[in-house]
Amino acid sequence: MVTKACLLSFLLFFLVSQIDLAHSDADHDHQKQSPFKFLKHLQGCHKGEKVKDVNKLKKYLEKFGYLSYTNNHSHANDDDFDDLLESAVKTYQLNYHIKATGVLDSNTVSKMMMSRCGVADIINGTTSMRVGKKRHLLSSHNFRTVSHYSFFRGEPKWPASKYHLTFGFLPGTRSDAITPVTRAFMTWAGNTHLDFTQTQDYTNADITISFHSGDHGDGNAFDGRGGTLAHAYAPQDGRFHYDGDEPWSVGASQGAYDMETVALHEIGHLLGLGHSSVKGAIMFPSIAAGVSMSLHGDDIQGIRDLYNIA
């Protein structure tokens, strides 16, 4: 016969097991949500050290354009904090207005761990976000630096024959994304001489919007929750991809990312803008969950300069 004591013990054991399982699941989810989490234990690292996961830091900085081991493959996958890595960290710090020490200090780690756009800050060696004199072209670089905003190399933009652009949502796009994305297009239309019309004929649309997870065939795989949120391409490659694994919301919502705010950023890329070093600008590379933003003066100045709008 089962005693009351045995029954209570069994119930207690069951409850504790469920709590442990819940904690385990939560920890697993948290790890999945933090592809940049490895950076936390690298805080304080500097040149001359060899620390586990420095190779992941190298891959992070390569992904966002700060580092290339093209001429020295031997160190690309090791954990040595070498001269090239120190230089890359310094450039990152300059772009984000952090003291350029080359040391992975707390401010640098905190900034690197933020969710962000998947488009690189620097392409082919260009320091895209650093302040430069207006109309000053940095030689041998891929972005032209103008004030705080930036353009892609060659300043690609939509030609006069394509100022009336169509956009369409690919099948499988979540229905609650349509209104905030459409509003984002209208915001850009109000600050340019471009106009945008939604079309159901997405196969012939100038711009397409879609949600994807992981490797989705464009060579820029998403990394799950909490890493890169979205990416888009320069004119006239009108692809705009959201990471479908992220927690999305319509408007500011705690723990989620506002689809309209991210759309404003990615449409900026579709129109030809690179990243900005102005923290309040929509073209700043990173964004926190639970916030909504609109265009900043720097974004408007940038798009008007690119399209020669008085």
Side-chain angles (χ1 to χ4, degrees):
M1 185 171 118
V2 179
T3 65
K4 289 184 179 180
C6 289
L7 182 59
L8 287 172
S9 296
F10 173 78
L11 289 172
L12 181 60
F13 173 79
F14 176 78
L15 289 172
V16 170
S17 297
Q18 292 303 304
I19 291 170
D20 288 343
L21 181 61
H23 285 168
S24 177
D25 289 342
D27 289 343
H28 182 60
D29 288 343
H30 180 67
Q31 288 173 5
K32 288 195 299 183
Q33 293 173 19
S34 307
F36 302 154
K37 186 179 179 181
F38 73 91
L39 289 157
K40 193 168 185 178
H41 88 265
L42 293 179
Q43 184 172 315
C45 286
H46 54 80
K47 187 176 73 173
E49 291 189 322
K50 185 169 185 174
V51 180
K52 183 180 181 296
D53 287 341
V54 164
N55 69 95
K56 292 183 180 179
L57 171 63
K58 291 178 179 180
K59 288 181 174 63
Y60 176 101
L61 290 169
E62 283 184 296
K63 177 179 176 64
F64 297 117
Y66 292 92
L67 184 62
S68 174
Y69 282 95
T70 303
N71 299 318
N72 190 358
H73 293 287
S74 61
H75 289 290
N77 298 309
D78 63 28
D79 287 322
D80 292 328
F81 202 121
D82 55 26
D83 290 334
L84 204 57
L85 180 56
E86 181 189 51
S87 178
V89 172
K90 284 182 177 179
T91 303
Y92 180 93
Q93 290 169 328
L94 284 170
N95 274 346
Y96 286 89
H97 305 293
I98 301 169
K99 187 176 180 181
T101 61
V103 176
L104 216 62
D105 57 34
S106 59
N107 287 341
T108 305
V109 169
S110 177
K111 185 62 65 179
M112 285 181 171
M113 289 182 69
M114 287 189 69
S115 297
R116 55 161 294 152
C117 172
V119 176
D121 298 336
I122 301 174
I123 296 180
N124 291 348
T126 302
T127 308
S128 67
M129 293 164 53
R130 287 164 62 182
V131 181
K133 294 180 180 179
K134 192 170 184 179
R135 309 302 301 178
H136 176 63
L137 178 63
L138 298 177
S139 62
S140 74
H141 292 332
N142 202 39
F143 271 108
R144 186 168 65 80
T145 302
V146 185
S147 186
H148 294 78
Y149 54 87
S150 65
F151 306 145
F152 293 94
R153 183 180 185 179
E155 301 182 15
K157 56 188 174 184
W158 294 92
S161 61
K162 295 292 292 183
Y163 283 176
H164 304 282
L165 299 169
T166 58
F167 65 94
F169 297 89
L170 297 189
T173 300
R174 49 191 291 170
S175 59
D176 60 348
I178 294 174
T179 296
V181 171
T182 301
R183 280 200 301 260
F185 276 112
M186 295 307 103
T187 298
W188 277 111
N191 289 279
T192 65
H193 55 337
L194 301 167
D195 63 65
F196 306 93
T197 304
Q198 184 182 347
T199 177
Q200 300 303 315
D201 183 14
Y202 59 86
T203 57
N204 292 310
D206 298 306
I207 294 169
T208 57
I209 302 95
S210 52
F211 285 72
H212 302 275
S213 296
D215 185 353
H216 51 284
D218 66 352
N220 292 298
F222 285 126
D223 50 12
R225 297 182 68 172
T228 53
L229 302 174
H231 54 234
Y233 294 84
Q236 302 178 47
D237 182 349
R239 291 176 293 168
F240 166 13
H241 299 158
Y242 282 102
D243 184 347
D245 289 332
E246 299 290 349
W248 296 106
S249 64
V250 178
S253 179
Q254 186 175 3
Y257 298 96
D258 176 35
M259 286 185 282
E260 184 174 351
T261 297
V262 172
L264 283 169
H265 179 101
E266 301 305 333
I267 293 168
H269 288 317
L270 292 171
L271 300 182
L273 289 179
H275 285 151
S276 172
S277 64
V278 176
K279 189 174 182 181
I282 204 69
M283 296 312 298
F284 192 71
S286 59
I287 181 176
V291 301
S292 61
M293 298 169 58
S294 192
L295 299 186
H296 183 280
D298 186 71
D299 307 307
I300 296 169
Q301 184 182 355
I303 203 67
R304 290 182 176 175
D305 184 22
L306 178 60
Y307 284 90
N308 297 311
I309 302 170

